[in-house]
Amino acid sequence: MGKVTGFLEYDRQEQKYQLAADRVRHFREFTLPLDEHDLSKQAARCMDCGIPFCHGPTGCPVHNQIPDWNDLVFQSDWEEAARNLHSTNNFPEFTGRICPAPCEEACTLNLENQPVAIKTIEQAIADRAWNMGWVKPEPSETRTGKRVAVIGSGPAGMAAAQQLARVGHDVHVYEREPKAGGLLRYGIPDFKMEKRHIDRRVKQMEAEGVVFHYKANIGVNVPLEELTAKFDAVLFCGGAEDPRNPQLPGQELDGVHYAMPFLVQSNRRVGAEPMPGNGELPILAAGKNVVVIGGGDTASDCVGTSFRQGALSVTQLDIRPRPPEREDKLTVWPYWPTKMRTSSSQAEGAEREFQAATLRLEGNRKGQLTGVVCARVDEKRQPIEGSEFVLPADLVFMAIGFAGSVQKGLVAESGVTVDRRGNVSANEQDYRTSNPKIYAAGDMRRGQSLVVWAIREGRQAARSIDEALMGSSVLPR
């Protein structure tokens, strides 16, 4: 905890944003951090609440010891706060930027709609740790002689690889793309998290002995059996990338795209990476009316990216009803509530349509998209007769989630059991698949989820692999 009476003395304060008119002109991060004095006061608000739901199963998947490092920040012991934070979270500079902060929803002070600014403090601790040089490689002093292959370098794969390397295993990470990070790099826009944060972690991991292999698409240009023959264990962390297909009439029109190709292209441009030579046409929102189908984080990323590319207008369609401004605390807390939330991208000028279903997409004789035909829906999400309306559109991005892991290639070649959603089957105890040598973690196992869940699963899978290879493990679960 922080100061016993801190929550009575200080109001909640979060880091602020650059003005929307300024931040849409660039792809850089646009948060304005609090100074040390204000951060100390925010940490002081962490109260002696008895049962800190913030780091329980409802609040933080990696079980960050939030009251402990809040107290350390209040006491100005930032270095110990950084050590504490890193003891449960390999990459707090990632989660401090892009996690939706279920910990704040579970905070006892959220009963009064004034939770501790946990996410702001977490990012401040992580950034200070890097700026002060406290984050250093932690190579193992001993070698086990065991070899582990990790397929996929997203947050789950990176977390698992780092944990395994630190206990002395020879760890090799195989990544399909030219650089590490998975959707952290190619899906999440730079205005939410600049990619230098990933690059620093990769250098740290390489210094710890992790070997990265890029442009290695296992099951496509590298046979999986090559890895199973050379390594003692193989961990699948390839994500859940198969987009959910809405099967809309007119979906074949020019100008209709899934969300991820648009975001990946944009991230490649911002990162000055060459586009793959597969004949993929550029997707650009400049000077166009954009409609985004979907109400989640990926849809919001399409909104912010479209504005930065110079879209004329952006409308977001959400089939769900407009949520209440505030939840009923006594029936929901400390769980994640359904309530009205406005992302920074939506606040940049997006029009939001709730209870809106997409009926079909219209185009001209040349096969070019011209509009989206929508209708209001009832409580069963069925279109209401006579409520149709048309939105003019030059671009449509479908961001309605993912159907599971891509089956072609790695999953098909491995022959491991998959569940009805297409995710690789493995339990949360040992993360082992139907093939005893193969493990799975992150979105590839649980389906699309949060970065913080991916980190948790990567850490736990690393513990399971270490235990299986060595008979016991000192890695935390």
Side-chain angles (χ1 to χ4, degrees):
M1 59 169 287
K3 187 179 181 182
V4 175
T5 57
F7 71 99
L8 297 172
E9 298 176 35
Y10 309 119
D11 291 331
R12 172 180 163 90
Q13 185 181 0
E14 298 176 89
Q15 57 188 1
K16 293 181 171 57
Y17 297 155
Q18 289 180 359
L19 294 175
D22 295 330
R23 66 181 188 249
V24 296
R25 300 175 184 273
H26 61 79
F27 278 87
R28 300 184 303 277
E29 292 177 13
F30 51 78
T31 53
L32 305 174
L34 299 180
D35 62 29
E36 185 172 342
H37 178 68
D38 287 333
L39 285 164
S40 178
K41 288 197 293 186
Q42 291 307 301
R45 297 185 67 246
C46 188
M47 63 188 294
D48 186 9
C49 60
I51 299 176
F53 289 94
C54 59
H55 68 80
T58 60
C60 183
V62 294
H63 301 298
N64 279 338
Q65 300 167 98
I66 294 163
D68 294 22
W69 44 255
N70 275 333
D71 182 60
L72 290 164
V73 168
F74 174 60
Q75 302 294 342
S76 296
D77 193 348
W78 287 82
E79 188 170 2
E80 183 59 30
R83 276 194 289 269
N84 188 300
L85 179 54
H86 279 90
S87 71
T88 57
N89 186 350
N90 294 68
F91 315 120
E93 69 275 23
F94 299 171
T95 53
R97 284 171 165 80
I98 59 178
C99 185
C103 53
E104 294 189 14
E105 298 292 349
C107 177
T108 300
L109 287 175
N110 190 38
L111 287 167
E112 296 294 328
N113 298 301
Q114 291 292 313
V116 176
I118 300 168
K119 181 177 175 180
T120 295
I121 298 168
E122 178 182 11
Q123 181 182 335
I125 296 171
D127 289 350
R128 177 169 289 215
W130 279 104
N131 294 338
M132 298 299 292
W134 300 332
V135 181
K136 297 176 181 178
E138 300 176 28
S140 175
E141 295 180 358
T142 60
R143 307 303 299 173
T144 65
K146 301 294 185 180
R147 308 184 76 213
V148 182
V150 178
I151 301 174
S153 67
M158 288 181 67
Q162 185 166 64
Q163 294 293 92
L164 289 164
R166 286 179 173 178
V167 291
H169 300 307
D170 181 16
V171 182
H172 291 249
V173 178
Y174 292 83
E175 170 55 48
R176 178 189 63 196
E177 301 294 341
K179 293 183 179 180
L183 292 187
L184 284 171
R185 182 181 297 276
Y186 294 104
I188 294 172
D190 278 53
F191 57 80
K192 289 176 69 173
M193 189 184 80
E194 294 175 6
K195 305 311 178 266
R196 58 189 172 87
H197 304 295
I198 305 171
D199 296 335
R200 289 189 305 197
R201 284 297 179 183
V202 169
K203 289 180 180 178
Q204 180 198 29
M205 292 171 63
E206 288 175 335
E208 293 170 345
V210 178
V211 179
F212 286 85
H213 303 267
Y214 299 114
K215 297 183 179 180
N217 194 350
I218 311 302
V220 178
N221 63 7
V222 178
L224 175 62
E225 62 182 18
E226 187 177 305
L227 272 58
T228 55
K230 291 193 303 184
F231 292 92
D232 298 290
V234 177
L235 175 60
F236 287 4
C237 295
E241 298 183 304
D242 190 18
R244 185 173 289 123
N245 185 352
Q247 298 182 331
L248 293 171
Q251 199 169 301
E252 73 288 348
L253 292 167
D254 290 342
V256 181
H257 306 274
Y258 286 112
M260 289 315 304
F262 172 60
L263 295 175
V264 170
Q265 279 194 16
S266 178
N267 279 309
R268 288 191 193 279
R269 287 190 199 94
V270 174
E273 286 189 39
M275 296 291 174
N278 56 7
E280 187 177 282
L281 295 175
I283 308 171
L284 293 165
K288 297 178 180 177
N289 295 303
V290 177
V291 174
V292 181
I293 302 172
D297 291 336
T298 301
S300 180
D301 291 344
C302 288
V303 170
T305 300
S306 296
F307 279 129
R308 281 159 182 77
Q309 289 188 359
L312 289 179
S313 68
V314 181
T315 304
Q316 186 175 356
L317 302 178
D318 194 331
I319 199 169
R320 299 169 297 184
R322 184 184 181 92
E325 291 298 320
R326 289 186 176 177
E327 72 276 23
D328 182 350
K329 301 290 185 184
L330 296 181
T331 59
V332 180
W333 181 87
Y335 298 98
W336 183 260
T338 298
K339 65 180 178 182
M340 187 64 182
R341 303 174 193 271
T342 301
S343 71
S344 59
S345 293
Q346 291 163 340
E348 290 163 1
E351 294 291 331
R352 301 172 70 182
E353 297 282 354
F354 291 97
Q355 281 186 279
T358 304
L359 301 182
R360 62 184 182 277
L361 306 171
E362 294 184 328
N364 58 26
R365 292 182 179 179
K366 296 181 180 180
Q368 179 64 46
L369 173 75
T370 58
V372 181
V373 180
C374 311
R376 302 297 174 193
V377 297
D378 57 24
E379 63 276 3
K380 295 183 178 179
R381 297 188 177 183
Q382 296 302 306
I384 299 172
E385 187 175 351
S387 67
E388 293 83 1
F389 61 99
V390 180
L391 296 173
D394 306 299
L395 269 181
V396 162
F397 298 123
M398 298 178 291
I400 58 171
F402 298 87
S405 302
V406 175
Q407 301 299 301
K408 186 178 180 181
L410 175 62
V411 175
E413 185 178 326
S414 70
V416 297
T417 303
V418 297
D419 62 22
R420 59 185 179 83
R421 294 184 59 196
N423 301 315
V424 176
S425 295
N427 63 50
E428 289 187 62
Q429 300 306 311
D430 60 14
Y431 291 87
R432 190 171 257 161
T433 69
S434 56
N435 183 328
K437 199 173 187 178
I438 297 176
Y439 299 75
D443 288 6
M444 200 165 199
R445 189 199 72 83
R446 66 180 291 117
Q448 66 173 121
S449 189
L450 303 177
V451 167
V452 68
W453 273 106
I455 294 172
R456 169 195 167 126
E457 296 218 346
R459 287 170 61 90
Q460 292 189 336
R463 157 83 185 214
S464 177
I465 292 170
D466 185 41
E467 202 166 30
L469 296 180
M470 306 304 295
S472 62
S473 179
V474 297
L475 290 174
R477 233 192 104 72

